[in-house]
Structure formats: structure tokens, C-alpha cells
Amino acid sequence: VVHNIIHGLLNYEETIEAARVLGLREKDQYRVVDFHTIPKNKEGKYTKEQLREVEMIEGELITLLPEEHIYRNMNQIVMIQKVDSRQKDLDYDAQMTEIQQVVQKNIMERKKNIDFQIGIGSIVTGCHNLKTSYEQAKKEMVEILMKGIKTGGKSKDSGN
């Protein structure tokens, strides 16, 4: 359901129904956060062990963010986060930075060969605009990955 909403694959009525099932409301504000893992092996492909690690990361995120809608698709974890209009963007950014640091630390403690990045989408009103937020989160993720390539694989965001 989350996949179909954030990719804009549903018509208006289907989106309303899917949002209702997820408990999303048309007048509320949301943003999509893209949690992406990157294998550090030469092939850039995921081993079964790395995919299990992504599953563990999903569980950690669900524990850290129990009120949010979290969805995993292979190496990518996406969250639809309800935004409190009284809270500042800096507070949300600080929360995501803290989450990234906790998860990256846990990955390192488990001695897994995966890097963990976060792309944060724009704040949108209603479920019909989640695709826009998701596209921005993906764009931010690409920018982070490109920055990492330009700096030899090390980026300030990756905890390396």
C-alpha cells in the first residue's frame, strides 16, 4: 500500500482508501523519509546476509519510530512521517541525524559491511502529495551518494 501511494500508482479514490487503511488524513502534513543502505562490497550487490541486515535495520527503525508508517523493499526502507506543524524543521532534522547515528553505530557493532543513509523529503499536505515528498527524498539521497563518490566513498552523513 505504501509503495503504491508514494509512487503515485493509485487514482484519487484508491489513494483515499489506501490512506484510510494506513490512518493518514487528507488535511494532515507528512513527509517521506528514505532510509537507504549501500553495500560496501565491490560488486555493489546485496548478499543474503546484507539483506538480513536491512531487515534488522527495519526492526530498529520500527522500535525507534513506533508511530510512523515504515515500509521495506529489499535494500530500501521508506517512512511516511506525520509532521507536527508546531515543530521546527531543525528538530526533525536533528531527530533523523540521531536515528542515523544510532543505526549506523549498531551496524558497526554487528560488524556488517553496509552504509546507512537518509534522504528527507519535503513536507506536504495530504496523501495525494506523498509522491512529491518521496521524489525529493530520493533526489536528496542521490545527492548524498554522489557526494560520497566524489569524496572517495566517505561522506559526513555516513558516519565514516
Side-chain angles (χ1 to χ4, degrees):
V1 175
V2 171
H3 173 84
N4 290 337
I5 290 175
I6 64 174
H7 286 92
L9 301 176
L10 306 175
N11 65 32
Y12 184 84
E13 292 80 20
E14 292 168 335
T15 301
I16 294 293
E17 179 60 23
R20 187 188 64 71
V21 168
L22 293 173
L24 306 177
R25 298 189 333 204
E26 191 57 33
K27 303 290 183 201
D28 287 343
Q29 291 187 314
Y30 301 97
R31 72 174 177 182
V32 176
V33 181
D34 184 10
F35 301 98
H36 204 83
T37 58
I38 303 127
K40 292 181 180 177
N41 55 14
K42 289 182 272 191
E43 299 83 24
K45 294 181 181 175
Y46 286 85
T47 64
K48 287 181 183 179
E49 181 181 348
Q50 288 169 325
L51 291 174
R52 279 192 297 276
E53 179 65 17
V54 174
E55 190 174 336
M56 288 186 72
I57 293 167
E58 177 191 26
E60 290 173 351
L61 292 171
I62 290 169
T63 300
L64 292 166
L65 301 158
E67 301 296 316
E68 308 300 346
H69 298 282
I70 297 174
Y71 162 82
R72 177 176 55 91
N73 183 11
M74 293 292 286
N75 65 328
Q76 177 189 36
I77 302 166
V78 175
M79 173 178 70
I80 299 174
Q81 182 178 45
K82 186 175 178 185
V83 176
D84 183 345
S85 60
R86 298 168 297 185
Q87 198 169 8
K88 294 181 173 43
D89 281 348
L90 287 176
D91 295 335
Y92 280 111
D93 291 346
Q95 178 190 27
M96 288 300 106
T97 298
E98 183 179 331
I99 299 253
Q100 181 180 17
Q101 291 169 347
V102 166
V103 171
Q104 189 69 48
K105 179 178 171 267
N106 292 344
I107 292 168
M108 289 170 41
E109 286 175 359
R110 289 189 296 266
K111 297 179 177 26
K112 299 301 178 183
N113 201 21
I114 288 182
D115 195 13
F116 181 71
Q117 301 289 339
I118 298 177
I120 301 172
S122 57
I123 296 171
V124 297
T125 301
C127 52
H128 289 93
N129 298 310
L130 289 171
K131 180 180 178 184
T132 301
S133 182
Y134 176 64
E135 288 171 349
Q136 181 171 2
K138 283 193 328 187
K139 181 180 174 190
E140 184 176 303
M141 184 62 60
V142 168
E143 290 170 5
I144 289 169
L145 295 173
M146 294 307 294
K147 222 184 289 183
I149 290 170
K150 289 178 185 173
T151 60
K154 295 184 187 288
S155 120
K156 72 175 184 73
D157 300 316
S158 69
N160 286 334

